């Protein structure tokens, strides 16, 4: 149930109840009827496509305009709502790249470290917890599972002040640890839940067979379950990537030294330092910052859609 | 199965414990807790510990430098007479109560159009979903700041029709509206959940309704809406919880100060200013608990109201 939603072909529902064409004398009449029907349907479909293209165009227009604007001179950005380009101005990109204390690549690298660490942390810790919840019987299981579900809905503001105090007292402010350590402790409970649901869909016979062959839980987990839950791991990887790459609040609080800035806080510093004077280079770096997310979107769409459709993570 | 339905069914479920299972319990406890170890450490150190700490701090005056000083209910009494806090509540409530229904309505509308067997579905779905993915980023908030600026894209388009638009973001009466629009723009994620829900409605219901002579609108009110109500409910709960915690957009669009004249001072933004701007940690903790209570009350109202309008098939 959890994973099949998106793989259903679109036409299934429509054709399911319909009787097949009868042969014989009725056939001619019927096909005429179908023809008339299909003409009406075609007009309807065309209207629909027109509406959707219009709405979709409106949706992505701002994004396209930002891409185009990043290649325009500043004066043109304030005058030109259209999308055509007379000349390519790469100056915005070179200016933006070196506008802050460090070249922009430095912040990209910082973000990459945080993102990769977070992905690793979430994959290890969440899959372990999920295995226990999905496959093992233990005292307090229901209570813990309930708590885990509740933590999904807990606003982070309730814990952020003491967390900050804790991490600042250990001396971890302006390090990546406050952003990474929680990931290794399965605090993104959404993924634990996602993986529990996925493991529940894996036939139990497989682990029982492995157990009969003398495998213990670590072995069953590593050799049987993990290889089978690759789709869930992929979804987790992709969402962790996007969330962490975009994370502003955590980075804003913990990373105050420009050396340690991740991309979102660097962009914010850019806004503060230049205000509205150089939209061109600001847009250029915004595009650079969105590019990794966009690429992940292109290649990971299938997992993204599934993840949202089944658990509501976005 | 979704997190919400899982939660609501948690209370009802009672598995009988057989002697055999008890034996299995004994066998798995050790392994289970080892697998759960990261999550348990996280729960104690990153979630429950800080929650208790924040509850304690909410009754104190604490600025990080001197030890916390117990002040009883002072922080909560202060909240009663804090006009800026009242304003931030009004801003946040407006954002949630206008933005969430509007976003869900658009999401449902587009999902309905997309559901009817379109050829290019994956393409449209991607176009409508992309803003959802990028919407939380600093880059898009920067884009929004320009689009609704005095010389921004919106006013450039309006100027083509000879209209002189206001400075949307610098005008207190329209600033919040621009941020709400940004929220509505990111309707892609709930749209995908709606699409998945629409797929699950059996086609035979529509076939039967057609035989009985029901029109499109009647089918929508009598079949689609009731059958989709659990999904609407799920989206509603999720979006409300998430919207109360919005931060990045308001922070970037307003330049971090909730302006103009506090018209975009979200509750979370004010909390950030108190806690991490003025290091008034006690007050910030009290605010965080207040936010938790507000979200809890809204979620509870949702669950209670759901009894009257959410229809379960089973």
């Amino acid at each position: 149930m959890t994973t099949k939603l998106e793989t259903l072909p679109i036409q299934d529902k429509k054709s399911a109840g319909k009787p097949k064409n009868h042969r014989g004398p009725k056939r001619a009449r019927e096909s005429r009827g179908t023809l008339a029907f299909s003409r009406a349907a075609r007009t309807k479909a065309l209207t629909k496509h027109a509406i959707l293209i219009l709405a979709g165009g409106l949706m992505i227009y701002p994004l396209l305009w930002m891409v185009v604007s990043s290649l325009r001179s500043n004066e043109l950005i304030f005058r030109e709502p259209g999308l055509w380009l007379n000349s390519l101005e790469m100056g915005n990109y070179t200016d933006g790249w070196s506008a802050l204390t460090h070249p922009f690549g430095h912040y990209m690298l910082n973000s990459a470290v945080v993102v990769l660490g977070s992905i690793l942390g979430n994959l290890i810790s969440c899959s372990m917890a999920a295995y226990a919840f999905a496959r093992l019987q233990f005292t307090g299981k229901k209570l813990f599972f309930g708590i885990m579900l509740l933590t999904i809905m807990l606003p982070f503001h309730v814990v952020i002040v003491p967390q900050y105090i804790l991490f600042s007292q250990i001396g971890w402010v302006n390090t990546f640890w406050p952003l990474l350590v929680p990931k290794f402790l399965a605090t993104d409970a959404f993924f634990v839940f996602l993986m529990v649901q996925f493991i529940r869909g894996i036939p139990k016979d497989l682990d029982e067979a492995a157990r009969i062959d003398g495998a213990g839980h670590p072995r069953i987990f590593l050799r049987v379950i993990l290889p089978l839950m690759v789709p869930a791991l992929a979804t987790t990887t992709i969402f962790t990537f996007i969330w962490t790459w975009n994370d502003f609040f955590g980075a804003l609080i913990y990373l105050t030294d420009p050396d340690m800035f991740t991309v979102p806080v660097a962009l914010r510093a850019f806004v503060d330092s230049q205000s509205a004077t150089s939209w061109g280079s600001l847009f250029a770096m915004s595009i650079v910052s969105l590019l990794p997310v966009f690429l992940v979107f292109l290649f990971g769409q299938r997992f993204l859609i599934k993840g949202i459709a089944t658990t509501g993570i976005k | 199965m979704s997190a919400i339905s899982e939660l609501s069914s948690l209370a009802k479920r009672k598995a009988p414990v057989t002697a055999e299972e008890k034996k299995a319990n004994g066998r798995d406890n050790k392994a289970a807790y080892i697998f759960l170890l990261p999550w348990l450490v996280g729960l104690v150190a990153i979630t429950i510990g800080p929650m208790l700490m924040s509850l304690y701090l909410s009754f104190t005056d604490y600025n990080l430098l001197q030890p916390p000083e117990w002040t009883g209910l002072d922080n909560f009494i202060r909240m009663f007479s804090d006009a800026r806090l009242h304003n931030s509540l009004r801003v946040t409530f407006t954002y949630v109560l206008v933005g969430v229904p509007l976003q869900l309505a658009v999401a449902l509308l587009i999902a309905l159009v997309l559901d009817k067997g379109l050829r290019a579905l994956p393409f449209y779905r991607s176009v409508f979903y992309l803003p959802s993915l990028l919407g939380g980023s600093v880059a898009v908030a920067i884009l929004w700041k320009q689009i609704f600026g005095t010389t921004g894209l919106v006013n450039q388009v309006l100027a083509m029709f000879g209209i002189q638009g206001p400075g949307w973001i610098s005008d207190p009466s329209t600033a919040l509206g621009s941020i709400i629009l940004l929220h509505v723009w990111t309707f892609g994620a709930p749209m995908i959940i709606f699409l998945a829900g629409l797929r699950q409605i059996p086609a035979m219901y529509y076939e039967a309704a057609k035989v009985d002579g029901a029109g499109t609108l009647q089918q929508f009110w009598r079949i689609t809406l009731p059958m989709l109500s659990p999904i609407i409910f799920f989206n509603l709960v999720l979006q409300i919880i998430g919207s109360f915690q919005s931060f990045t957009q308001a922070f970037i669009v307003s330049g971090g100060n909730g302006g103009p004249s506090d018209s975009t001072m979200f509750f979370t933004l004010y909390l950030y200013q108190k806690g991490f701007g003025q290091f008034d940690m006690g007050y910030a903790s009290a605010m965080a608990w207040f936010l938790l209570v507000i979200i809890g009350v809204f979620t509870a109202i949702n669950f209670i109201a759901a009894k009257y309008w959410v229809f379960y098939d089973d």
Side-chain angles (χ1 to χ4, degrees):
Chain A
M1 176 187 170
T2 48
T3 54
K4 284 288 182 281
L5 286 175
E6 285 302 311
T7 53
L8 285 175
I10 303 158
Q11 298 295 341
D12 248 10
K13 196 169 79 182
K14 305 282 129 38
S15 55
K18 271 184 196 158
K20 284 181 184 163
N21 263 348
H22 295 289
R23 293 193 175 187
K26 268 194 198 163
R27 199 172 162 192
R29 231 188 311 149
E30 268 208 3
S31 68
R32 219 174 347 147
T34 335
L35 207 72
F37 170 75
S38 74
R39 197 171 294 153
R42 200 179 300 159
T43 335
K44 219 176 151 186
L46 275 178
T47 336
K48 222 170 246 177
H49 279 291
I51 294 171
L52 284 173
I53 288 169
L54 202 73
L58 199 67
M59 287 286 289
I60 53 165
Y61 196 87
L63 294 171
L64 294 176
W65 182 82
M66 177 161 67
V67 175
V68 171
S69 291
S70 73
L71 296 163
R72 275 180 180 150
S73 67
N74 261 314
E75 306 84 74
L76 261 182
I77 294 175
F78 291 111
R79 268 192 292 128
E80 191 49 83
L83 290 180
W84 41 90
L85 273 169
N86 294 325
S87 61
L88 283 185
E89 204 141 328
M90 295 310 289
N92 287 331
Y93 281 85
T94 48
D95 287 355
W97 193 265
S98 50
L100 296 169
T101 16
H102 297 282
F104 208 75
H106 180 87
Y107 309 116
M108 306 270 289
L109 205 65
N110 283 347
S111 272
V113 171
V114 175
V115 165
L116 294 178
S118 299
I119 290 174
L120 193 68
N122 270 345
L123 287 181
I124 296 172
S125 63
C126 295
S127 64
M128 283 173 66
Y131 179 75
F133 281 129
R135 281 296 201 257
L136 300 173
Q137 297 303 323
F138 55 95
T139 28
K141 176 173 170 173
K142 283 200 179 111
L143 175 73
F144 283 138
F145 193 67
I147 291 174
M148 192 271 292
L149 286 176
L150 281 175
T151 58
I152 295 177
M153 284 168 236
L154 189 75
F156 59 90
H157 301 89
V158 182
V159 290
I160 195 68
V161 167
Q163 267 184 32
Y164 178 82
I165 295 167
L166 173 76
F167 288 132
S168 80
Q169 273 169 2
I170 319 178
W172 279 1
V173 170
N174 280 316
T175 69
F176 295 143
W177 298 119
L179 303 177
L180 290 178
V181 168
K183 308 288 175 185
F184 281 87
L185 300 175
T187 47
D188 283 344
F190 249 129
F191 299 125
V192 178
F193 177 68
L194 177 102
M195 292 181 196
V196 167
Q197 294 302 93
F198 195 89
I199 296 174
R200 281 178 181 170
I202 299 173
K204 265 196 171 154
D205 310 353
L206 292 172
D207 358 347
E208 256 136 48
R211 187 174 309 178
I212 289 165
D213 288 346
H217 287 297
R219 221 184 150 85
I220 295 172
F221 172 64
L222 287 172
R223 294 291 170 84
V224 180
I225 299 293
L226 267 189
L228 287 172
M229 62 188 285
V230 167
L233 299 178
T235 304
T236 302
T237 304
I238 289 165
F239 276 102
T240 307
F241 188 109
I242 293 167
W243 286 355
T244 316
W245 187 270
N246 281 341
D247 173 44
F248 178 60
F249 194 78
L252 179 69
I253 289 174
Y254 290 115
L255 309 174
T256 51
D257 177 356
D259 270 352
M260 306 306 290
F261 276 180
T262 55
V263 168
V265 259
L267 270 180
R268 184 260 172 152
F270 200 164
V271 178
D272 282 1
S273 65
Q274 316 263 317
S275 70
T277 53
S278 55
W279 282 105
S281 41
L282 196 50
F283 280 165
M285 287 311 103
S286 297
I287 298 292
V288 169
S289 82
L290 290 179
L291 212 57
V293 177
F294 185 72
L295 290 176
V296 168
F297 166 74
L298 271 190
F299 294 108
Q301 261 201 74
R302 196 159 59 94
F303 297 105
L304 280 166
I305 304 282
K306 257 183 210 165
I308 293 165
T310 55
T311 53
I313 52 179
K314 48 174 177 168
Chain B
M1 203 194 285
S2 68
I4 300 288
S5 61
E6 184 84 13
L7 253 189
S8 54
S9 67
L10 202 71
K12 293 176 217 154
R13 213 188 310 133
K14 245 187 204 128
V17 182
T18 61
E20 198 178 321
E21 261 182 8
K22 267 192 184 148
K23 209 174 119 196
N25 279 351
R27 195 173 57 219
D28 282 347
N29 264 347
K30 205 174 121 199
Y33 290 127
I34 290 172
F35 274 100
L36 274 183
L37 194 63
W39 179 78
L40 280 169
V41 172
L43 183 70
V44 172
I46 304 288
T47 307
I48 293 183
M51 270 182 89
L52 295 175
M53 178 76 178
S54 126
L55 190 61
Y56 163 71
L57 285 177
S58 68
F59 297 104
T60 65
D61 186 15
Y62 182 46
N63 60 6
L64 272 187
L65 300 173
Q66 279 102 25
E69 186 191 330
W70 185 266
T71 55
L73 288 170
D74 269 13
N75 287 325
F76 294 96
I77 293 165
R78 244 173 93 194
M79 281 163 63
F80 271 110
S81 52
D82 185 345
R84 286 191 89 186
L85 183 134
H86 299 165
N87 171 66
S88 75
L89 276 177
R90 202 178 45 77
V91 169
T92 308
F93 279 135
T94 311
Y95 176 75
V96 172
L97 295 178
V98 176
V100 171
L102 213 57
Q103 188 210 41
L104 290 187
V106 175
L108 180 56
L109 188 76
I110 300 288
L112 283 170
V113 178
L114 285 183
D115 181 48
K116 304 292 182 205
L118 279 172
R119 264 209 199 120
L121 175 76
F123 170 72
Y124 288 126
R125 197 175 47 194
S126 303
V127 167
F128 288 115
Y129 174 55
L130 186 62
S132 254
L133 208 59
L134 308 177
S137 64
V138 168
V140 164
I142 289 172
L143 171 67
W144 224 251
K145 199 176 174 178
Q146 204 288 340
I147 288 179
F148 287 95
T150 314
T151 52
L153 179 58
V154 170
N155 282 351
Q156 288 170 27
V157 174
L158 287 177
M160 284 164 52
F161 299 97
I163 303 165
Q164 168 70 52
W168 304 93
I169 277 168
S170 46
D171 185 337
S173 61
T174 49
L176 180 58
S178 322
I179 298 181
I180 289 178
L181 209 62
L182 173 52
H183 180 69
V184 175
W185 186 62
T186 61
F187 67 78
M191 176 200 76
I192 284 171
I193 304 177
F194 278 139
L195 266 175
L198 287 169
R199 281 305 148 72
Q200 303 261 305
I201 303 176
M204 58 174 187
Y205 291 171
Y206 293 103
E207 305 281 340
K210 254 179 234 162
V211 171
D212 289 346
T216 318
L217 261 180
Q218 233 174 345
Q219 286 178 34
F220 174 74
W221 287 110
R222 298 291 173 85
I223 302 173
T224 312
L225 222 47
M227 292 297 286
L228 207 58
S229 57
I231 307 283
I232 298 174
F233 173 65
F234 176 68
N235 268 334
L236 195 64
V237 170
L238 224 61
Q239 289 298 327
I240 287 179
I241 292 174
S243 298
F244 268 115
Q245 303 176 57
S246 303
F247 176 80
T248 306
Q249 294 88 341
F251 185 96
I252 297 296
V253 167
S254 74
N257 60 23
S261 31
D262 275 0
S263 61
T264 60
M265 179 63 96
F266 282 49
F267 193 82
T268 52
L269 191 47
Y270 191 50
L271 192 155
Y272 168 80
Q273 284 194 354
K274 282 290 170 196
F276 301 94
Q278 301 164 17
F279 292 103
D280 194 349
M281 293 294 188
Y283 196 57
S285 300
M287 283 183 69
W289 274 90
F290 189 41
L291 181 67
L292 181 68
V293 170
I294 293 173
I295 293 177
V297 167
F298 263 77
T299 309
I301 291 175
N302 254 321
F303 269 91
I304 293 166
K307 279 184 193 145
Y308 300 98
W309 67 272
V310 175
F311 169 79
Y312 287 101
D313 205 15
D314 48 40

